[in-house]
DNA sequence: CCTACCGATCGGTAGG
DNA sequence: CCTACCGATCGGTAGG
């Protein structure tokens, strides 16, 4: 088994574009023929990289996950566990959505809504990614409370649910209503739920 | 111009089924051929009711809106404007999502996420429906404050944003993670934001 | 990686 | 409302 650096680079170019298309038109609306034309490849040439549409969808989810980790999670891990890290996770997420890192807003908001009522491997991969993100936010909230940075009566699971809700609502409102003030509302809501810095 | 009661009844049967399919597979995944087969009609027979796929999508949105009004809004208008009506709107919405009035959860959560990055008449119709719902919730929150049922320092627009966020998050989590406790979290979050009854 | 092709399905039409 | 059909596009394959 040898690596194929040139192919891997082409694969990443394809998948980065695929993630943008999927964030706008859905993972099902992502067609192999259109993706190939966009990138100046033949359809069967592009098809050869993945072997099936489902594998293309799964690979696109993996690429989107890597981008999400780079944009949102990793920069927040520079802060110590607890409240400061929690604040960074929230701020980075809102920035990631607002800057349209994916052309159609948060990739996972689109894909989750598309597949949440369809069983299969794609849905399973999205469920896992969402669970990892929720778990990170929940654990970080627990750490903040354990360090005495949140009131002792705080329910960390409940707080994490509410914080995630604000993020999702801002992304959805900003896309559907072209309403950039939704991000301000989400920041206001999150800050009100956390001690003043 | 005479009415066509028999046709209208058939139309409503078609559109009720279309709304269920769209809530699961999307308004684009709603295909005329599949819908016709499901209902035991010929494809062109069904096509004749609407004239184009886009008109079918728009008619499906109108039917889903009527169902939403019947399930969520009208029963809440029985209560006087203000806090009690606001509570009913929230409770009815969570019940509407939890009971799976549409097979794939909230019709609008699915459709909005699908079309929020695609311009056109379908998106415009969804934007209008969402704006009407947000406006109703916001105005009801204003009324509650004006009646002294909410603290004077409450920002009604901000509060309405947060309450809608809890509803959407419960619907999304319950679908993606088969997690019925999300509805409990949303109720807890909403009640904590409102005065104890 | 390509051209050329497959059967299935898409939205939509002709004609009755 | 039907049968029969249209061109376009879908995912996928054969063969090189």
């Amino acid at each position: 088994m040898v690596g194929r650096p040139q192919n891997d680079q082409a694969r990443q170019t394809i998948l980065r574009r695929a993630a943008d298309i999927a964030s706008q038109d859905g993972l099902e609306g992502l067609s192999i023929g259109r993706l190939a034309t966009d990138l100046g490849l033949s359809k069967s040439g592009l098809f050869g990289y993945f072997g099936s549409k489902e594998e293309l969808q799964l690979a696109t989810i993996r690429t989107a996950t890597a981008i999400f980790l780079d944009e949102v999670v990793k920069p927040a891990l520079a802060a110590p566990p607890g409240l400061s890290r929690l604040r960074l996770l929230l701020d980075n997420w809102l920035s990631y959505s607002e800057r349209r890192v994916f052309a159609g807003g948060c990739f996972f908001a689109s894909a989750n809504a598309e597949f949440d009522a369809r069983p299969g491997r794609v849905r399973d991969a999205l469920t896992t990614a969402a669970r990892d993100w929720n778990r990170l936010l929940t654990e970080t909230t627990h750490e903040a409370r354990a360090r005495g940075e949140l009131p002792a009566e705080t329910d960390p699971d409940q707080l994490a649910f509410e914080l995630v809700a604000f993020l999702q609502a801002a992304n959805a409102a900003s896309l559907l209503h072209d309403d950039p003030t939704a991000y301000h509302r989400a920041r206001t809501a999150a800050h009100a739920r956390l001690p003043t810095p």
Side-chain angles (χ1 to χ4, degrees), chain A residues 9-75:
Chain A
Q9 198 180 330
R11 246 183 89 101
Q12 279 314 303
T13 303
I14 294 167
L15 290 171
R16 176 66 243 217
R17 182 108 178 109
D20 271 326
I21 293 173
S23 73
Q24 294 174 288
D25 298 335
L27 277 165
E28 213 62 59
L30 171 70
S31 92
I32 295 169
R34 176 189 161 188
L35 183 57
T37 304
D38 274 19
L39 293 163
L41 296 173
S42 71
K43 200 175 73 167
S44 75
L46 189 144
F47 185 87
Y49 280 97
F50 306 102
S52 75
K53 173 152 185 181
E54 190 177 64
E55 288 299 331
L56 167 62
Q57 291 172 325
L58 293 167
T60 302
I61 293 169
R62 285 192 293 272
T63 290
T65 301
I67 292 167
F68 182 85
L69 291 172
D70 283 343
E71 296 280 344
V72 179
V73 174
K74 286 181 190 168

Side-chain angles (χ1 to χ4, degrees), chain A residues 74 95 118:
Chain A
K74 286 181 190 168
S95 169
R118 304 189 212 179

